[in-house]
Structure formats: structure tokens, C-alpha cells
Amino acid sequence: MICRGINMRGLLVSTSLVSLLVAAPAIAQQTAGSQVPPPADSQTSAPDPVDPSQAAPESQSADIVVTGFRAALNNALNQKRNETAAIDSIVAEDIGKFPDSNLAESMQRIPGVALSRGDGGEGRNISVRGLGSQFTRVRINGMEGVSQVSGSDIRGGVATGRSFDFVTFPTEIFSALSVRKTLSADVEEGSLGATVDLRAPKPFDQRKDFVLTGTARGIYNDISKEADPRLSALVSKKFGDTFGILGSIAYSKRHIDEYAYSAVDVVPTTVYGQAQPAGTANAGVIFPFCTPVGYSFRGGAATNPVSGYTQPNGTPIGADANNCSTGNPRTSTAAAYDYIMSRTGVNGRPGGGVFLPRLPRPVKSSQEQQRLAGTLTLQWKPSDDTDISLDGLYSRFKVDRLDNYFDARSFGRAISNNGQPLTSVREIEVDDNGSLIHGLFDGVDLRSEMQKEKFTSTYRQVNLNLDHRFSDTVRISGLAGINQSRLDVDRLQVAIDSNDTRNFSIDFRDNPDIPKIGYGIDTTNAALFQFGPPLANGDQRGQLSNLIRRNTITSKTFELNGEWEAAPDFTLQVGGQYRTNKYTARERQLATNTPLALPAGVTVSSFTTVTSGVGGNLDGLLQDFVTIDPDKFRDAVGLDNYVYCSIECAKGTYGGVYEKYGSGYAMVKFNTANSLPFALRGDAGVRYVHTSLDTYGPITSAAPAGSLYPSRFVISEVSRSYEDWLPSANLALDVTPELIARASVARVMSRPSYGQLIPAGSANLVIQTASFSNPFLEPIRANTFDAALEWYFAKGSLISLAYFYKNIESYIQTTSQSVAFQDIGLPLTLLNGTQLRPTDLFTVQRSNNTQGGPLRGFEVNVQLPFTFLPGALRNFGALANFTRVRSNINYVISPTLSRTAPLVGLSPETASGTLYYEDDKFSIRSTVNYRAAFLTAVPSGSVDADSTSNASSIFVDASASYNLNEHIKLIAEVSNITNETNRLTVDTTRNDPLYTAYFGRTYALAVNFQF
């Protein structure tokens, strides 16, 4: 299906676009004798922000108003033209109707903006000119906001940063957004990439005294095969000329099914192998698998595991000359074993040149999403000089997700868990880079794993806005507000094991992204699986973990600005701001992650079911499998009676960051149009900001004698402060009435994520990793330069070319190195009850400030209504943009190794194209978005792999609408027409498949009414 999908992609893309042109003759007949007038004059200044109903009248007739998609484009173009900074905007097509179903997806049409997709392929966050979401600030009604979500580990896990997840907000509650790519002194600091402003509608934005509008959608996905509702309504009322009230509400429910292949990691066979003991012929040589009977290497006898091997507790595993372990005979072939040992790879060790997926597995992820959001605005305008408004906004994003996996665990287990060294290899083939082509193994441990997660992301905001003009030359404006983002997560993970299975095969020959896997057993038979505590010999019999977490971010903002027009077209602006951000993270976990023995009368069959649909949605390459039913499991084992703990048992997290920002700025704004022979507009100023922070977090330490648990958290506290001077200037020169030249310079900064600042250190004993944060991290700082030419060659038309350069002085990286657990700095008591030794190696990750590097690129943007064509063809139009970015960051791979590579999250090329048709009755458009492959992590976190990457993608969407009359409109939409996948790979040379997911096409039918 994948190959077929690739072959069909070009056809489907072409069809979606060409269909617009094919419709032209019929539309021409339908609209013969009536033509849509050309768009509003591009020099007409649009109010900021703009409602589409206020589009400028056409010169041909004062009674005709351009509405819909074309009007939204015109208003956005007018705003761009009149700004001095580099700002692109999108405004609602109609009252209460944003042009796309997702805010992030709307922004794809803006040059330089690339979209990252989350669950179900929905737009989650953006990068701007190569800088990822962590460098993009979002303001809602003038206040900085952060929205938080949780996701699978492949999508970042529980959010701990400053990124904004657009998936949490419906578009219907906003009327406009803008992306500010260059900064002015009056815009608060914190953005290295861009500042995105989201604005909810206000009563006096509306042309009419009373407005009532609503939309009802039915949404269907061809994988989940569920029909879901999406509803919205807006009502606005003005009472005379001085007071108005507006309220909006939006609700949606969505079912998502996603099918994927996941490797979790790809590592050389030496990682989980075992070194031959001292005094043997091959002492120190790591042997990855169970050796064949009578095997010799380099002329010396080699037996792995060695006969009589015991776990650290003294329990033998049953290894002898003929068996890898009890009941698990040695079936490796000498040819296959020699094949592996002959490939040394970059680490120089035998077997180091063969790379296997650590946990090859199918994935089925099912979730139910519910979004509820609303706004309420009271606006008082006692005169033309005074505008006071109170804005309230609420959003709740609720997700119930069930992820099911079926792992081959042996390739990710050391001998302490009776893993890879107890597995026999009968056949194997790799390519020249060491990537697996196919293999056949015995003694493979299989695991069915369930992750049930419920999370709720809630956002609340209230802010008071004041704008008053004392005279024609003096004006003040201010804002006071508070918002809170809260994320509640409850995640349960349960696994059951079937150990030492035979005839396990994995084969990439039919498909390079998704292997065909044979398990050698009936994967739907629950009787073949076990759940309970591990055996003394190291055999695993399942897994259990549960975390309950709450992250809260509370922000308060007080801002006051003053303007004085000292001379005609020369204004002095000053202002100050005081903000606080308080981030807290609290997490409790089960006191023990060791599965307990099942109650009497309870078997694995008592709490399992079968995950279906895997084979049908992944080309039959992977199989359906037995899985845990979370509700049955909770009841069967009495999970609600289990003990949870945090500080007292060194589990979960307990930390926070309290930041205080005090800032002030001075800026001049000028326009020489009336004083000099040329029209030069601009602003220049400087912003000063002082940042102080108090942070605290958990460090794992040994518990005092007599404690219930062997380890506990000790809370570490750190306080510090720093300051920044941030000058900036923006210039716009009207070379001719149609041609504008722009230039901007600025110094910018972006603060570390909250999770990086909490002083914490912990270890994951299951996968043998440890991580440490760093409260002394400095912000990422950069000097920026932008230049652009914009040609408004016709009404509603634009061709622009922009160049941008950022000298990123510093960067924040997570560096990793292999360290024996006894040297990490965590107490050895953490190993109590495990099969790990103090000398076992752990991958230790730490956050550090490192050297940055340059980033440069250009973007091209075209907006062209086809008003120069005859008849109905004049109702067509097109948008297109292309961005090319290059960067060089020096990444620290290890204490002795570094690598120069592009910035993480940076796609070297992005492009978007939209073709549309619109007349007074009918509208249709199709959009194609391309994003080149980009790095997701450097170093990768994998052994002997330089990075992980997200593969390139092309997404095609389309929508159409028909006005039954002036009050009712019918709408049809389809997204991901080509059934594009999300693909992740590891290592830029090997490009081993890490994750390949299908989420299907989504269709929507809607009716919109407006009075």
C-alpha cells in the first residue's frame, strides 16, 4: 500500500488542483452575465485587527462588498503593506469562520512557516524560518500564553516547555492571527523565531449592531470510521454607540485511530551483548547473542552466556554447553554469528556494524478528543477617544488515549533481564551500512504493552484593556491580565510477557519502512503470556507503572504604554511591563513498578482482549495481538488499592520555576512622506529586561535508616538573575507607490524550557538511562537582520522576496555519554531489587549551553487574483510561497566528538501553494504543503547514530462552500487527500526506519448560518 500510495500521490495532488480548473466552464455558465468585481484597492488601509465584513468597497459600485476567502486575503495584504515590521496576517473569512479547521494549518500558507503534526495528523505547533516551536511565542489578546498537552514518547511525552500547542484551541473563537517575524522595542522579549498574535473578536469589530452566526460540522475519518460533531456559535450585540457584548462557544468531539510500526530505537548488537569474562580466550570481547554449540572466535573457544552464569543474586540462568538458559537451546548458526562478528562498525568492536531495531513493534493508538472553548468580551467606548474592554477566554482539551504495542523485547534487553545474550541467531542479512534486511531468531522475548492515558489541558484568561487618547498628540494604552494553563495526566502502563519464543522473523525486503514480522506463536492467545513479579533468574513477567501528574503555568501581566506625537509623523513611545510566570510540576507514581502476583482465580485471560485492525491497516505486514483491557485489569488486580508516592520514595517529580520579568522600552516611530522627497517609515528603539528566577527540583538520594523506601527526593533550590538590552529597528521605504523595501535589525533572546531549569537528577533502570537538568542555563541569544522587497503590482496582488540572517550566539543541547552507574552520582540503593550491577553502563544526558551558529535563508511569496482573465476565470486566484533555510550548529556528540549539522527542527525547504475559485455563490480551494526532512535530535540518544530525523512530507487539503442565500452556507472539506504518512528515521547515513504511521483522510460536511 505504501508504494502504491507514493505512486498515487502525484495523481491525487494534480487531481485536487486541476479539479478547480475543470469546474470553470460549468461555473462560467452558472455565473454568465454576473462577474465578481476585482478585489479592494490594495492601498486602502484596513483597520487592525480587521473583520472581513469591513472590506473596502469596490470602485465600480459602493454597494458591493467583497467577502469570503478573497476578502480575507485582501485585508491581510493591506495589514502587511502598512506595517513597518515583517508581519503576515490571516483574518476570518466571515464572522466566526476562520479559513481552516486548525490554526497551525492556517499558518502553513504564510511564508517561512512549517507545520509539525501530532496525533491523527492534526497540526500541533509551528516553526518559523527554521526555528522550532520552543522559539515561537504566542500571545492571546495581547498576553503571552502557553498551552500544554501530553503525548506518546515519540511525540515528546508530557510537555514541560514553553511551546504552544495549537491543537488545544478551536479556530472558531478567533477572528485574526498574525505572525511577527521581526521585533520592535514595544514587543516583549522571548522570541527567537516569531511572535504569533491570536485575537478573539470584539463587539465593535462587527459591522452590524446584532450578529448571530453558527456552524455545525460532521467529521469522518476513513481509518477510525467514526462520524464526529463539531459545533460553534457566536452572538454579538451593540447597545447604542458606547457598549457592546460578544460571546462565542465551540465544541468538537473526534475519534482518532493511528496505526504504525515503531522501532523505538536502532542500536548496534554490542549494546545489549555480554563481554567474555577475564581468563577466557576472548576476554573483554562483547558477544551479542547466544553463541552456537562449540563456537570459536579468533581461534579461541567462546561460550556466551558462559556455562554456570548466575545473576547478581546468585541464581543461575541455566546456561550450559547446549543451552542459552533453562529450556532455551543454543540454535545460533556459525555462519550467521560469524557474519555479525565480521562487521565492526564505527565503534571498532566485532558486531558493532550490525544495527537492529531495539523494540520492533506494531502500534495501534486510539483516542477520543473533546474540545470546548468560549470567549466573552465586554467593550465600552464612551467616545471615539476611549476604548475599554474586558476579555475572557476559556478552553478545555480532553483526551482519552489507548496505545497498544507488541514488542520483541530481547533486542533491547541485557543479560540482567535475560535478553539479547540469551537469543540465538539463525539467519541474518544487513546492507553495506549495517541496517537490517532480514533475520531469523530463537529465544526471543515478546511483550504486549498497553498504555492508557487520560489528560486534560485547560486554559483560562481574563484581561482588561485600556486605550485612551487625551489629545491628538497624546495617547496611553495598558493591559492587566492573568492566565493559567493546567495539564492533568493519568497514565497507566501494563505489559504481559511471553519469553523464549522460537522462529521470530523480521524482514524489510518487501518494504523499507515497515517490516514483515513473524512471531512463531499465536499472538492472540492470552494463555501464552504471563504477568507477575520477575523470577530470580532474571525472567521478566510483565510490567506495571502508573503516574498521576499536574503541570500548572500561571502568568500575570501588567503593561502601560504612552505615545506622544512630538512633531507631525514623529512619535515617541515609551512603556513598561511587569510579568510573572509560575510553573509547578507535581507527579505521583506507584510505590512499586514490579508487577505483583495475580489474585487467586485471576489469569491473564481475565483482563485481556485482542487488538484488531493492525494487519488490515499496515499492509498485512504486522499482526493483530492480545492486549490488556485497562478497565478489566484495574478491577482484576485491585489497582485502586495500590500505594502511590512521590518525594518519600523518589518517584515522579516535584519541582517548579518562578520567574519575574521587569522591562521597559523607549522607541521612536516616524514617516517622512510629508517632510522629505521620499517616504520612509519605521521605528527604532531599545528594550531592557531584567529576569529573576527561583527554581527547585528533586535530586534522588539514599533514604535515612528505617525509611519505608530505599531512596527519597531531596529538594534542591537555585535562585539567579540576568539582564538583557535588546535594541531593534524596522524601516520601510516606499520606493514607488507599488514597491516597498524593508530592512530590520534586532537583538533577540529565548529562555530555556521550564523542564530544563528545574534542578533534578534521576535514572530509568529499565532502559539504563539517567538525566540531569541545569538551572544555570543561559537564554539563547541572537543578532538578526532581515531585508525584503514587496511589489504590489496590482489590486490584491503581491510578489515579495525576503532575506533573513540570524547569528545564534549560544544554544542549549542535551549531551550524552556512557557512564557506569556507580559514577553517575545517584545512590547505589536504587539498584536494590534489580539484576543490575554498579558497573553497568548507563546513557547519561545533561542540558548544557553550547556554541550556536549562523542561520540564513530567503523566502518568496506570491499572491495573485486572476482578475485579468475574462469571464468566470477572473474568479480564480493563487497563493504560493517557498522558503529555503540553512544553518550550522556545532553539536557536542561526546566529550571528544562534535558534529556540525542543521538546527534541530529546521527544514531546509518548505513550500505552500493554494489555487482557489470564488464567486458570489460558490467557493473552492485546494492547498498543497511541502516540508523537507528535518532533524529531530542531535545527538540522537542512540548509540553510534548521529541524529534522528523526520522525513519529508506533502499534505494536500481542499474545501468548498456554496451560499444557498445570504444567511445559509454549505461547506465541504477534506484533509490529507493523498493519505500521507508520518515517518521518522535514525542516523543520516543509514536512515533506519524509527516510526511510520498512518492516520488516514478526514472529511467534513458543514452548514453555516448567519443573521
Side-chain angles (χ1 to χ4, degrees), residues 633-789:
F633 176 83
R634 188 176 290 272
D635 294 338
V637 304
L639 187 62
D640 293 336
N641 298 321
Y642 279 38
V643 175
Y644 291 79
C645 58
S646 178
I647 296 177
E648 68 275 21
C649 66
K651 289 183 178 292
T653 191
Y654 185 96
V657 178
Y658 182 51
E659 294 176 319
K660 291 173 284 187
Y661 319 120
S663 63
Y665 74 93
M667 182 176 78
V668 295
K669 299 188 292 186
F670 54 88
N671 188 338
T672 67
N674 297 318
S675 57
L676 294 175
F678 54 88
L680 178 65
R681 297 172 283 123
D683 62 71
V686 62
R687 186 177 193 89
Y688 168 79
V689 57
H690 181 272
T691 302
S692 64
L693 62 90
D694 301 297
T695 180
Y696 61 94
I699 302 296
T700 304
S701 64
S707 298
L708 184 61
Y709 304 102
S711 303
R712 68 172 183 175
F713 281 149
V714 173
I715 304 304
S716 173
E717 299 181 356
V718 175
S719 297
R720 57 187 294 258
S721 63
Y722 54 87
E723 61 183 20
D724 288 272
W725 290 90
L726 305 172
S728 62
N730 295 279
L731 300 175
L733 175 65
D734 295 330
V735 181
T736 71
E738 293 79 28
L739 185 64
I740 299 176
R742 300 182 186 273
S744 301
V745 293
R747 181 167 177 79
V748 297
M749 56 90 82
S750 180
R751 297 182 175 91
S753 70
Y754 295 115
Q756 291 173 318
L757 291 172
I758 291 178
S762 62
N764 187 321
L765 304 182
V766 177
I767 58 176
Q768 295 181 212
T769 63
S771 60
F772 294 86
S773 54
N774 184 353
F776 295 97
L777 289 173
E778 287 289 316
I780 298 176
R781 298 180 173 94
N783 296 317
T784 69
F785 170 75
D786 294 76
L789 275 176

Side-chain angles (χ1 to χ4, degrees), residues 748-932:
V748 297
M749 56 90 82
S750 180
R751 297 182 175 91
S753 70
Y754 295 115
Q756 291 173 318
L757 291 172
I758 291 178
S762 62
N764 187 321
L765 304 182
V766 177
I767 58 176
Q768 295 181 212
T769 63
S771 60
F772 294 86
S773 54
N774 184 353
F776 295 97
L777 289 173
E778 287 289 316
I780 298 176
R781 298 180 173 94
N783 296 317
T784 69
F785 170 75
D786 294 76
L789 275 176
E790 300 169 0
W791 182 29
Y792 299 84
F793 58 92
K795 295 180 179 180
S797 303
L798 169 69
I799 296 178
S800 66
L801 174 64
Y803 170 81
F804 49 90
Y805 174 82
K806 298 179 188 293
N807 179 24
I808 303 173
E809 296 178 350
S810 63
Y811 193 60
I812 296 175
Q813 295 181 40
T814 300
T815 57
S816 63
Q817 62 183 123
S818 293
V819 180
F821 186 86
Q822 62 191 11
D823 299 324
I824 289 176
L826 298 177
L828 296 181
T829 53
L830 289 178
L831 303 183
N832 293 348
T834 73
Q835 301 299 329
L836 294 169
R837 290 181 166 89
T839 55
D840 286 344
L841 293 178
F842 274 59
T843 300
V844 180
Q845 298 181 327
R846 301 178 189 271
S847 297
N848 296 293
N849 283 108
T850 58
Q851 183 180 353
L855 180 149
R856 56 175 61 85
F858 69 87
E859 59 188 33
V860 181
N861 185 27
V862 177
Q863 181 170 317
L864 179 63
F866 296 167
T867 52
F868 52 86
L869 296 177
L873 294 178
R874 67 185 288 111
N875 299 325
F876 281 93
L879 314 172
N881 66 73
F882 172 80
T883 304
R884 184 181 186 272
V885 190
R886 296 292 185 269
S887 69
N888 292 297
I889 299 294
N890 185 45
Y891 293 96
V892 179
I893 305 299
S894 70
T896 59
L897 181 64
S898 63
R899 176 196 172 204
T900 300
L903 192 69
V904 168
L906 182 149
S907 289
E909 289 88 26
T910 58
S912 174
T914 299
L915 182 63
Y916 68 89
Y917 174 93
E918 186 172 64
D919 60 31
D920 57 352
K921 285 285 188 181
F922 181 70
S923 174
I924 184 171
R925 67 177 180 267
S926 182
T927 299
V928 179
N929 287 287
Y930 167 76
R931 182 174 186 181

